[in-house]
Amino acid sequence: MVWSIFTSQPNTQLYFSPLPSLVRVKGGHSTNGMIGNDEPESEISLREFVITRCPSLSQGYMGPPWWLDNGHLQTLYSALGNFDHLDEIVYERRFLRLPDGGTLGLDFAGPQKISNDITIVLMLHGISGGSNEAYVRSVLRHVCAPKYEGGLGYRGVVMNFRGCGNVPLTSPQLYSAGYTDDLRATILYLRKKYPKAKILGIGFSLGANVLTRYLGEEGYNSQLVSGCALACPWDLLRFSDHIESSWFHRNIYSRALAQSIQAKVKENLNIMRQECSQDVLLHIDTLLKAKNPQVILVDEHVTRFLGGSSTPFPLASAKDYYRWASCIDQVSNIRVPFLAINALDDPISSTVPVPLPEEAAHTILATTANGGHLGWFEGGGVGWWETKRWIKNPIVEWVRATGEELVSQTLPDVAVMIKDGFTCLESKPEVGFKEIILEMVPITKDDLLPLSI
């Protein structure tokens, strides 16, 4: 039997495992989610924690405006709409060099004067995305705004994957949906830089898959105290079958995603020619010659070779990569509070792991009937054309609740070593970082490719 509840709006449904976990909260608990300063800590079920602390989930998503009334329209509007005037964020960029020669770009946001122990919200974008994505900014604007402006006053950090968001590609390795060591390196950097700060994780689409895999792989050793996954693809084998299943999906979604990666490979061909084997270069050449590539062609000829720098790469085929990279089997291993939200009309991420297994006691899954892929738009103003993103409300509520009300367990110590100037994990020396200074290149909307998942 699986615990599930319909919210007051049948558009939205919450799922829990049959044995949801208990969480310890500060100052007791109340039906309105307020903290009682004089009350002792108490334990409540994760189910009650979510229902009382995230009212937007309980109230439900009311649905899209009439002109965005299906998943395709919501998805395309999210990817192609002009949101430049909304949720402006000023970032400070820091670069991390990795032991294999790769580079990550961390974009920091938040109040100018902020203590080093303030909660950090670490965000992972979708494929071909970056910190300037509208769905990222819509959340960070509220998370990072000072409390006197109605925000949370937290520090926001966006991890721009290798080669994304104007981060230079300095090694032939690309990012992938299943490779989690770059996230480990980023978290290690933040733990060393801000040892007293809680770190919360938020992932969008491909970034959600990476986040979910990390939390499952680490279990009780997670350095994140909570996680939130939006539009996660979950099962990449099913994702591949779905996105290649019809003419429309192949020629709209699959082609757009594949062409964005094809362009990135072409842009960085020099470094790949210098460091890739002749066999891999032949595969890269096949991709570059393709006029209308699909995602499976990219993964067959590039990702299964360059999507990670350690075992199990290279993988035997794209489908072997999909089996390895899928996060759906990791849900049972997550041991921190974890909220996942998917729209059932998402034309890209079509799989939802329902029912949740009994072992997934720390996971809450919310589904909405509408929302598309990273859309969840609703009417937001006087004019019929004005919209706002409903999804930012439950995300910000979850971040506030897990950042302020949750009594987190003591994080396990991280043993590090210095190797060739890199700060590395003793248990995994290939995971490490060295902060470097690179010439800053302005990030504009023109740097963003047309579709991000």
Side-chain angles (χ1 to χ4, degrees):
M1 179 181 178
V2 176
W3 282 95
S4 65
I5 65 163
F6 276 103
T7 63
S8 58
Q9 297 294 329
N11 194 304
T12 307
Q13 190 170 13
L14 304 182
Y15 295 89
F16 304 86
S17 86
L19 298 174
S21 65
L22 296 176
V23 294
R24 181 167 288 275
V25 295
K26 298 176 182 179
H29 69 281
S30 61
T31 56
N32 62 6
M34 299 299 291
I35 303 174
N37 294 330
D38 298 326
E39 297 180 29
E41 295 178 0
S42 64
E43 283 191 336
I44 62 175
S45 70
L46 184 58
R47 181 179 184 274
E48 183 179 355
F49 180 78
V50 172
I51 292 173
T52 57
R53 271 63 177 184
C54 301
S56 293
L57 286 178
S58 299
Q59 294 163 8
Y61 171 46
M62 299 295 291
W66 62 267
W67 56 281
L68 295 174
D69 66 349
N70 65 61
H72 295 295
L73 291 175
Q74 289 241 12
T75 301
L76 294 174
Y77 183 63
S78 178
L80 303 176
N82 184 359
F83 306 102
D84 294 344
H85 61 293
L86 300 175
D87 304 312
E88 293 184 358
I89 299 285
V90 177
Y91 289 114
E92 174 195 343
R93 174 160 291 186
R94 304 177 194 176
F95 291 103
L96 300 185
R97 182 59 49 82
L98 307 174
D100 66 2
T103 301
L104 299 176
L106 306 186
D107 286 342
F108 285 69
Q112 291 185 350
K113 295 182 179 180
I114 187 171
S115 64
N116 284 343
D117 62 352
I118 202 70
T119 297
I120 297 171
V121 178
L122 175 59
M123 308 187 76
L124 282 67
H125 59 78
I127 193 171
S128 299
S131 58
N132 256 21
E133 292 286 353
Y135 57 79
V136 170
R137 302 196 324 266
S138 70
V139 175
L140 275 189
R141 177 67 183 85
H142 295 269
V143 166
C144 295
K147 290 190 175 182
Y148 62 81
E149 292 182 4
L152 300 182
Y154 291 174
R155 175 177 280 112
V157 180
V158 183
M159 174 183 139
N160 293 276
F161 293 119
R162 301 174 187 233
C164 292
N166 253 2
V167 175
L169 196 66
T170 55
S171 79
Q173 184 190 321
L174 303 173
Y175 62 94
S176 72
Y179 188 70
T180 53
D181 278 352
D182 287 354
L183 175 56
R184 283 186 181 85
T186 297
I187 294 172
L188 177 62
Y189 169 77
L190 294 175
R191 282 297 312 276
K192 302 305 290 183
K193 189 85 173 177
Y194 309 103
K196 296 182 179 180
K198 287 183 179 180
I199 308 176
L200 320 179
I202 301 177
F204 299 87
S205 194
L206 180 142
N209 197 88
V210 174
L211 174 66
T212 305
R213 277 185 59 85
Y214 167 83
L215 293 174
E217 290 167 356
E218 294 295 324
Y220 287 113
N221 293 319
S222 170
Q223 298 295 306
L224 300 176
V225 301
S226 73
C228 182
L230 294 309
C232 184
W234 298 104
D235 187 330
L236 296 182
L237 268 175
R238 290 190 177 183
F239 159 79
S240 177
D241 290 342
H242 176 72
I243 206 168
E244 308 295 341
S245 64
S246 68
W247 182 93
F248 186 84
H249 282 78
R250 286 193 304 274
N251 287 278
I252 300 298
Y253 300 118
S254 186
R255 182 188 294 184
L257 297 172
Q259 287 178 339
S260 69
I261 302 172
Q262 184 188 46
K264 186 61 63 177
V265 171
K266 185 176 182 179
E267 178 186 333
N268 294 280
L269 191 56
N270 285 340
I271 193 168
M272 294 183 178
R273 281 176 173 163
Q274 293 172 15
E275 301 196 32
C276 290
S277 68
Q278 196 62 36
D279 180 57
V280 173
L281 287 175
L282 291 174
H283 282 278
I284 291 174
D285 189 53
T286 299
L287 172 63
L288 295 181
K289 288 179 178 178
K291 292 185 178 180
N292 296 305
Q294 267 76 49
V295 169
I296 193 167
L297 183 72
V298 172
D299 294 331
E300 184 65 41
H301 292 285
V302 174
T303 311
R304 71 181 178 99
F305 296 103
L306 304 180
S309 61
S310 57
T311 304
F313 289 90
L315 291 117
S317 68
K319 291 200 172 183
D320 284 300
Y321 160 68
Y322 296 147
R323 292 186 189 95
W324 167 79
S326 295
C327 69
I328 193 165
D329 292 332
Q330 293 291 346
V331 179
S332 297
N333 302 321
I334 294 174
R335 293 296 180 266
V336 298
F338 179 61
L339 171 66
I341 307 177
N342 283 81
L344 297 181
D345 68 349
D346 187 333
I348 296 174
S349 300
S350 59
T351 302
V352 179
V354 173
L356 287 172
E358 185 174 294
E359 297 82 4
H362 295 78
T363 295
I364 314 101
L365 174 64
T367 63
T368 60
N370 311 105
H373 191 77
L374 298 177
W376 287 291
F377 294 102
E378 58 185 4
V382 177
W384 61 265
W385 62 91
E386 295 181 2
T387 63
K388 59 182 179 179
R389 291 180 187 266
W390 167 83
I391 194 64
K392 75 174 183 294
N393 299 322
I395 297 174
V396 172
E397 290 165 359
W398 172 259
V399 166
R400 187 204 64 80
T402 58
E404 297 179 13
E405 295 194 44
L406 194 67
V407 179
S408 303
Q409 296 180 346
T410 302
L411 293 177
D413 291 332
V414 180
V416 300
M417 57 185 284
I418 304 300
K419 181 181 178 182
D420 300 326
F422 291 89
T423 301
C424 302
L425 292 174
E426 275 192 4
S427 60
K428 204 171 185 182
E430 66 270 23
V431 175
F433 69 87
K434 178 167 58 177
E435 189 170 358
I436 61 172
I437 298 175
L438 292 177
E439 181 180 354
M440 290 297 296
V441 180
I443 303 172
T444 70
K445 62 182 178 61
D446 297 327
D447 295 314
L448 301 178
L449 292 159
L451 186 62
S452 171
I453 74 163

